[in-house]
Amino acid sequence: MKPTPFDYTTARSVAEAVALLADPTRDAKIMAGGQSLIPMLNMRLARPELLVDITRIPELSHLTVDASGALHIGAAVRQSRTAADPAVRRGWPLLAAAIEHIGHPQIRSRGTVCGSLAHHDPAGELPTVARALDARFVITGPRGIRTVRAEDFFVATFSTAVGEDELLLEAVFPPPPAQHGWAFEELTRRHGDFATVAVSVLLERDSVAGTVRSARVVFSGAGPVPVRLPAAEDTLVGTRVGEEALAAARRAALAGLSPSADVHASAAHRRETAAHLLVRACTTAWERC
Amino acid sequence: MTPSVPVQTTVRTPPLAEPSGWHRITLTVNGEQITAEVESRLLLSDFLRDRLGLTGTHVGCEHGVCGACTVLLDDEPVRTCLALAVQCDGVSVRTVESLAPGDAPLTSVQRAFHECHGMQCGFCTPGFVMTATALTEQPERPGPEEVADALGGHLCRCTGYRNIRRAVCQALDERFGE
């Protein structure tokens, strides 16, 4: 349970970090909070030649709301700081709630939001929330800066749109609809474990009609990437989220999800649980609208 | 507890085992300023135990599950098996040894663990005590859910959680009033 030898450096700027990643002579890996990477190093599942610590780069420690109302979370910003931030709790309560499901305070005190997103464990909490909130990812590298939408960001298990020679600079969360309700529901064997199944729900209320104007339903633990389920969303739009709509959403989840089996749950159990959590989450989200 | 003039200690560099990166770091451990040369891959847990002789920090799982190795980094509980020593340049570390050094009286948390018998075999205790210490240092009393969440970050294989929770509640009562 000790890492293989590697070199370590503290990047002082984004340019320096990108230059280190581009060095063809050494296999470099970015490290932020290290709460996913260090276990992999300890178990020797990861064997980088060089670790580039980005947590001391001043331009990555911002947690700000811009003029358009979008939340910017820099790559060095820790989960505990994000969840405790008053602006985040007010404007993006789904994000704050999901962070509180990550491990324990002893993990969140070091772990970063962008680190979890770039690591992309498909059973993780943040990828599903990023998809539900339609987050944007700002990535830099030798070919310049680009922005990727959440639906294109998560590629496969432990794989994202961030290239080998690229660095995730920040995650940007657009302002949620003015009148919205949200819910994050998760099944784990113990609190703090990775999700067997989790669901993020975001409902926008049409204040004139008193019904759902738009809905976002995204699962984790249901595939190699966060799974958005438009069929379930369609059953909710235009309704007051009553018994009928919830039953239809449940059927949509049972029909539309094809999770895999593992030691924690069979595929059938996972699908049943996902449908159940969806009903619970939709009910809660509607109550919060 | 913290000396008014920090004691300066330089830790000797052990012979190079392999040609990997070495770094000079300066950090504060239990109020003492320490300068040391560390290998990149040295975990903070091993630095504290093997290089500084602070064996109160226990090493259990070494991949971030059990919480036995928890210490306070800049006053926040952190798993030392998920931190590299080299990352801690400029950081303040408090281990269980900082709580009642020498003949100093036990802290309220230590006393509560003693009085409530918040332990069985005691292996996980240093981690629990450090997390509990951080809870008592918060500006406001943490709620029951927050306490449960924090204690959930530690595994007690003797299943002694009941008394541990009683001990933490006693320490919180003493700090914040019942």
Side-chain angles (χ1 to χ4, degrees):
Chain A
M1 302 298 270
K2 307 293 181 196
T4 54
F6 54 79
D7 205 349
Y8 166 98
T9 188
T10 309
R12 295 291 166 185
S13 68
V14 169
E16 189 188 341
V18 170
L20 288 164
L21 285 177
D23 180 354
T25 63
R26 287 204 289 187
D27 171 26
K29 179 101 185 137
I30 296 287
M31 178 163 70
Q35 301 302 284
S36 299
L37 181 56
I38 296 180
M40 292 177 74
L41 295 174
N42 286 356
M43 291 188 271
R44 303 198 170 194
L45 296 171
R47 297 163 173 259
E49 289 171 84
L50 171 66
L51 276 190
V52 181
D53 185 338
I54 58 162
T55 55
R56 297 186 192 223
I57 300 178
E59 57 214 275
L60 297 182
S61 65
H62 59 284
L63 181 63
T64 48
V65 178
D66 69 17
S68 76
L71 172 71
H72 295 249
I73 304 177
V77 177
R78 291 174 175 166
Q79 291 156 2
S80 54
R81 181 181 158 202
T82 307
D85 186 81
V88 174
R89 298 191 79 82
R90 199 167 46 243
W92 294 267
L94 173 61
L95 176 60
I99 288 174
E100 284 165 6
H101 282 80
I102 300 174
H104 299 279
Q106 299 88 345
I107 298 283
R108 303 194 290 266
S109 59
R110 300 285 286 182
T112 61
V113 170
C114 286
S116 287
L117 291 164
H119 176 63
H120 184 221
D121 189 313
E125 287 81 6
L126 290 179
T128 149
V129 168
R131 185 91 163 84
L133 294 175
D134 200 18
R136 307 284 198 275
F137 296 88
V138 183
I139 300 166
T140 190
R143 295 166 300 282
I145 292 186
R146 63 199 177 100
T147 300
V148 177
R149 295 184 57 178
E151 61 185 272
D152 303 317
F153 183 77
F154 304 104
V155 175
T157 301
F158 301 137
S159 171
T160 67
V162 183
E164 293 274 308
D165 55 357
E166 289 183 311
L167 168 66
L168 175 60
L169 291 177
E170 62 172 7
V172 184
F173 291 81
Q179 196 173 8
H180 79 280
W182 59 275
F184 181 83
E185 291 284 346
E186 180 178 88
L187 175 78
T188 54
R189 293 171 69 235
R190 292 163 305 204
H191 181 81
D193 282 5
F194 278 106
T196 306
V197 186
V199 64
S200 295
V201 169
L202 196 71
L203 299 179
E204 183 189 5
R205 185 190 174 98
D206 184 328
S207 53
V208 179
T211 55
V212 175
R213 179 186 285 163
S214 70
R216 288 248 173 184
V217 170
V218 186
F219 293 91
S220 72
V225 294
V227 176
R228 189 176 168 190
L229 203 59
E233 295 169 359
D234 292 345
T235 65
L236 300 163
V237 172
T239 75
R240 291 170 194 269
V241 194
E243 258 178 51
E244 206 176 305
L246 290 171
R250 185 186 149 77
R251 280 194 301 274
L254 290 172
L257 294 177
S258 44
S260 55
D262 63 17
V263 292
H264 300 302
S266 68
H269 175 59
R270 232 187 209 110
R271 189 161 45 227
E272 275 288 338
T273 306
H276 179 74
L277 292 181
L278 175 62
V279 170
R280 194 194 284 180
C282 289
T283 308
T284 305
W286 182 243
E287 283 167 357
R288 284 175 172 150
C289 264
Chain B
M1 204 165 65
T2 307
S4 50
V5 180
V7 181
Q8 299 249 342
T9 305
T10 301
V11 178
R12 202 174 52 84
T13 307
L16 272 178
E18 49 213 346
S20 117
W22 285 72
H23 307 268
R24 176 181 291 267
I25 59 168
T26 299
L27 70 173
T28 307
V29 181
N30 299 340
E32 187 179 342
Q33 195 181 319
I34 287 177
T35 300
E37 303 255 337
V38 295
E39 197 188 356
S40 299
R41 65 165 166 163
L42 183 67
L43 298 174
L44 178 59
S45 46
D46 293 331
F47 176 69
L48 294 172
R49 289 177 57 85
D50 302 342
R51 300 284 301 282
L52 303 186
L54 297 170
T55 52
T57 299
H58 288 176
V59 170
C61 69
E62 289 200 309
H63 64 281
V65 174
C66 78
C69 69
T70 302
V71 306
L72 304 187
L73 290 195
D74 289 336
D75 303 328
E76 281 192 293
V78 168
R79 296 192 181 329
T80 55
C81 73
L82 297 191
L84 302 170
V86 65
Q87 286 177 292
C88 298
D89 190 29
V91 164
S92 162
V93 183
R94 275 191 288 159
T95 70
V96 72
E97 285 91 348
S98 71
L99 298 182
D103 293 331
L106 298 181
T107 66
S108 59
V109 171
Q110 289 174 308
R111 225 171 342 98
F113 270 73
H114 174 67
E115 287 168 9
C116 301
H117 193 60
M119 66 196 75
Q120 290 190 35
C121 81
F123 184 81
C124 65
T125 307
F128 271 109
V129 165
M130 295 317 287
T131 284
T133 298
L135 287 173
T136 60
E137 290 177 356
Q138 292 191 9
E140 287 171 32
R141 182 177 182 135
E145 280 185 19
E146 203 180 328
V147 171
D149 189 24
L151 296 187
H154 296 268
L155 291 182
C156 166
R157 290 184 173 83
C158 311
T159 68
Y161 292 93
R162 248 182 126 78
N163 287 353
I164 292 168
R165 199 177 53 195
R166 278 181 54 213
V168 173
C169 287
Q170 179 180 314
L172 291 174
D173 286 347
E174 192 172 324
R175 163 73 177 78
F176 295 99
E178 286 181 47

